[in-house]
Amino acid sequence: MPHYIGFIRSTADSHDHLGPDEAQRVLESYLAWADERTKEGRFVGGGGLSRGGRVLRGSGGEVGATDGPHTEATEIVGGYQVIEAADLDQAEKIFATHPHLAFGPIEVRKVGERGCED
């Protein structure tokens, strides 16, 4: 069955208004969502991403590295989830149940095919 990735996007401050207990409940709801997909046999993997990192660029046979910010954007990718689904429509329906949608969008794409709309 094909794999679909959901990029968990949000603004840098989308969760800042949450107190510690509320933030813990949100994290637990994300984990519960993944657990449910695991029980259904759909969850492939996923995780959160750190705010820091490095960008590598090649030029003239040389590779340079810079620290972030990585791109100028109003949204950041804070994590990802990979699921199995029959097609993009089914993947959309599955990701439509993700609790993150209360904080920001989820971009859904098929894994492993370039230039394919499904």
Side-chain angles (χ1 to χ4, degrees):
M1 190 172 290
H3 291 178
Y4 291 85
I5 188 167
F7 293 105
I8 309 299
R9 298 184 348 204
S10 59
T11 60
D13 62 354
S14 64
H15 291 74
D16 287 354
H17 67 283
L18 301 175
D21 291 340
E22 204 174 5
Q24 182 64 35
R25 283 192 297 275
V26 169
L27 174 61
E28 289 170 2
S29 72
Y30 284 31
L31 296 173
W33 185 90
D35 286 344
E36 285 299 312
R37 302 302 75 79
T38 299
K39 289 175 187 171
E40 296 169 357
R42 295 194 176 282
F43 190 73
V44 176
L49 301 173
S50 68
R51 290 187 183 199
R54 297 212 172 106
V55 177
L56 304 178
R57 290 187 173 83
S59 177
E62 298 289 322
V63 175
T66 57
D67 290 333
H70 308 292
T71 59
E72 291 295 323
T74 58
E75 293 178 338
I76 58 171
V77 176
Y80 67 97
Q81 308 267 275
V82 181
I83 62 167
E84 289 185 344
D87 55 29
L88 184 58
D89 290 335
Q90 184 181 43
E92 177 186 338
K93 287 177 185 170
I94 293 167
F95 278 112
T97 67
H98 199 288
H100 176 74
L101 291 171
F103 300 98
I106 298 174
E107 179 182 344
V108 181
R109 294 191 191 184
K110 188 173 185 180
V111 176
E113 292 186 16
R114 288 186 54 137
C116 181
E117 292 186 21
D118 188 23

